[in-house]
Amino acid sequence: AQSVTQLDSQVPVFEEAPVELRCNYSSSVSVYLFWYVQYPNQGLQLLLKYLSGSTLVKGINGFEAEFNKSQTSFHLRKPSVHISDTAEYFCAVIRNSGNTPLVFGKGTRLSVIA
Amino acid sequence: NAGVTQTPKFQVLKTGQSMTLQCAQDMNHNSMYWYRQDPGMGLRLIYYSASEGTTDKGEVPNGYNVSRLNKREFSLRLESAAPSQTSVYFCASSESRGRNQPQHFGDGTRLSIL
């Protein structure tokens, strides 16, 4: 079965600074990868997804992620964060065949400091 | 554009009481899911329904039952609530034509068991 590890549970960063949220996965077969964002008292919203093709994926709100097959990673980046980016971010993986469901990481809480 | 609607938004129960959490989606999605979210644990899948008329256990099904009432509605029942079931519950839906389809989430039900 696949699994996801988000390496940082909390990431504080100053406003307008760059940020990287790290995600590693394990799977014996090819996978699809997703990043979701959760604002306080809301459900999760899709930020971006990697299905195939270009390893650099651009999402909403200026976020992007890079798929690295050799390192089994899918790190999320933003060059300049805003206060409004304060939220919890979840990486998720699903095998591209079979019937195993989507698996989420434990989340990274991003706190942007003014 | 409602998307995924969960009711109620908040609930407090006493140990041993029963309750049904309701979920409805208006996106004509085939697949629906129930998750629980606990601090530091990410989202864990309780049950899912790949299509109308089918349900399957997820990672943490004990103490829960589900009903896929029709294509729109997927309910989660706690027959005898326990304090360990205090959590935030999320319903989600997705197209099932491909495993690359993202899930769409409701805003959650915050459930406390005393």
Side-chain angles (χ1 to χ4, degrees):
Chain A
Q2 68 273 24
S3 65
V4 180
T5 302
Q6 291 185 242
L7 297 158
D8 305 293
S9 60
Q10 296 186 63
V11 173
V13 62
F14 286 105
E15 192 174 18
E16 297 184 7
V19 70
E20 177 180 82
L21 306 184
R22 298 180 293 168
C23 172
N24 284 92
Y25 69 94
S26 65
S27 175
S28 57
V29 300
S30 295
V31 296
Y32 300 129
L33 294 151
F34 303 83
W35 275 100
Y36 286 85
V37 59
Q38 183 182 32
Y39 299 106
N41 298 315
Q42 294 185 25
L44 279 68
Q45 303 172 32
L46 181 70
L47 264 183
L48 48 80
K49 59 184 178 182
Y50 173 77
L51 305 181
S52 64
S54 173
T55 57
L56 184 63
V57 180
K58 293 190 183 299
I60 62 171
N61 300 340
F63 283 92
E64 63 182 30
E66 185 157 19
F67 171 61
N68 188 318
K69 187 174 182 179
S70 62
Q71 297 187 6
T72 60
S73 67
F74 190 54
H75 300 334
L76 181 70
R77 301 186 182 102
K78 186 170 183 178
S80 176
V81 296
H82 301 290
I83 294 290
S84 59
D85 293 323
T86 294
E88 188 144 21
Y89 293 79
F90 293 93
C91 183
V93 62
I94 189 169
R95 296 172 63 165
N96 69 359
S97 61
N99 60 4
T100 55
L102 188 68
V103 174
F104 285 88
K106 296 187 187 306
T108 297
R109 182 165 297 278
L110 174 64
S111 298
V112 180
I113 306 161
Chain B
N1 191 8
V4 178
T5 302
Q6 293 183 236
T7 55
K9 294 189 185 305
F10 304 92
Q11 186 69 48
V12 178
L13 295 177
K14 294 181 179 178
T15 297
Q17 287 186 313
S18 62
M19 163 147 203
T20 299
L21 308 186
Q22 306 288 351
C23 175
Q25 51 92 10
D26 62 3
M27 296 172 283
N28 202 35
H29 285 169
N30 288 309
S31 300
M32 298 185 73
Y33 313 83
W34 275 106
Y35 294 90
R36 59 177 290 171
Q37 182 179 28
D38 303 291
M41 300 293 289
L43 274 78
R44 293 182 291 170
L45 183 65
I46 305 171
Y47 271 94
Y48 65 103
S49 171
S51 60
E52 187 178 355
T54 68
T55 60
D56 287 283
K57 294 180 180 179
E59 181 185 354
V60 289
N62 291 344
Y64 305 95
N65 285 301
V66 290
S67 294
R68 183 73 183 266
L69 304 171
N70 47 55
K71 190 172 185 178
R72 289 187 64 246
E73 299 172 287
F74 188 39
S75 62
L76 178 71
R77 183 161 177 84
L78 287 70
E79 290 290 353
S80 179
S84 60
Q85 294 177 305
T86 292
S87 189
V88 182
Y89 291 86
F90 287 98
C91 177
S93 70
S94 70
E95 288 285 348
S96 64
R97 280 176 290 189
R99 296 171 62 74
N100 57 0
Q101 297 301 314
Q103 294 184 14
H104 299 257
F105 287 79
D107 285 338
T109 294
R110 285 148 184 83
L111 184 61
S112 293
I113 316 295
L114 304 178

